Amino acid sequence: MPFTPLHFGPHACVSLALHRYCDVPLFIGVNIAIDIEPLLVMVFNLNSPLHGLSHTLLFGGIIGLLLAAAAYPLRHRIQKAMRNLGLPHSPTFAKMALSGVTGAWLHIFFDAPLYHDIKPLYPLETNPLLGLVPSGAITGLSAACFVPAMLFYAYRARRAD
């Protein structure tokens, strides 16, 4: 999948649909955090796999938990920003932690069928998802998720009034 923007559709769609159980900004934010490692590899031309540890279920989950721990003290500011977007927000640490982990894992599950260097089950050196779904199908689904995501957003923002 071509970098983070296409991940936004599925992440927004899932988190907005499950907003009662999901911390929307964290679920979407971890999507960006997971791709910091590939960005650094590209920008600094590092001699490292493009999709390294951040694209494993273990370390992706840890990144999600760390992001939740970092965002939790800022929850009131995030809550205010979400209200300004017309989205009620009721964060708890448990909700944020669960959203961080599952948001990271969704990102990894969308990338794993596409890239040979992803080892989602690290420390196992295998990618059982590689080639399981054609890249066009994943890209198409990701792009198509923008429509229901915007509908979920409009519905939620309207109900917040």
Side-chain angles (χ1 to χ4, degrees):
M1 177 163 309
F3 210 54
T4 297
L6 273 178
H7 284 284
F8 180 79
H11 276 74
C13 189
V14 168
S15 63
L16 288 167
L18 300 173
H19 67 91
R20 287 186 182 187
Y21 315 102
C22 187
D23 187 278
V24 174
L26 192 70
F27 194 86
I28 294 172
V30 74
N31 161 54
I32 296 165
I34 293 297
D35 270 345
I36 290 174
E37 180 185 29
L39 177 64
L40 293 173
V41 170
M42 289 187 295
V43 167
F44 295 109
N45 197 26
L46 301 175
N47 187 18
S48 177
L50 189 60
H51 301 95
L53 292 176
S54 70
H55 279 75
T56 67
L57 296 176
L58 175 62
F59 286 96
I62 291 170
I63 291 168
L65 288 174
L66 291 173
L67 191 59
Y72 186 71
L74 305 173
R75 66 191 177 281
H76 299 296
R77 288 183 180 163
I78 296 168
Q79 193 171 25
K80 183 179 178 184
M82 293 300 287
R83 259 195 322 269
N84 290 338
L85 292 172
L87 297 173
H89 185 245
S90 55
T92 64
F93 184 75
K95 190 186 230 184
M96 294 175 91
L98 181 64
S99 298
V101 172
T102 57
W105 288 354
L106 181 64
H107 182 115
I108 293 162
F109 281 121
F110 265 77
D111 275 359
L114 303 177
Y115 301 109
H116 65 87
D117 61 343
I118 293 180
K119 309 295 186 245
L121 303 175
Y122 178 85
L124 298 178
E125 291 292 320
T126 184
N127 181 354
L129 302 175
L130 184 62
L132 197 61
V133 180
S135 94
I138 292 174
T139 303
L141 175 64
S142 297
C145 282
F146 278 100
V147 173
M150 293 303 104
L151 293 174
F152 284 131
Y153 172 73
Y155 176 75
R156 284 204 54 218
R158 186 169 188 198
R159 286 191 50 135
D161 291 337

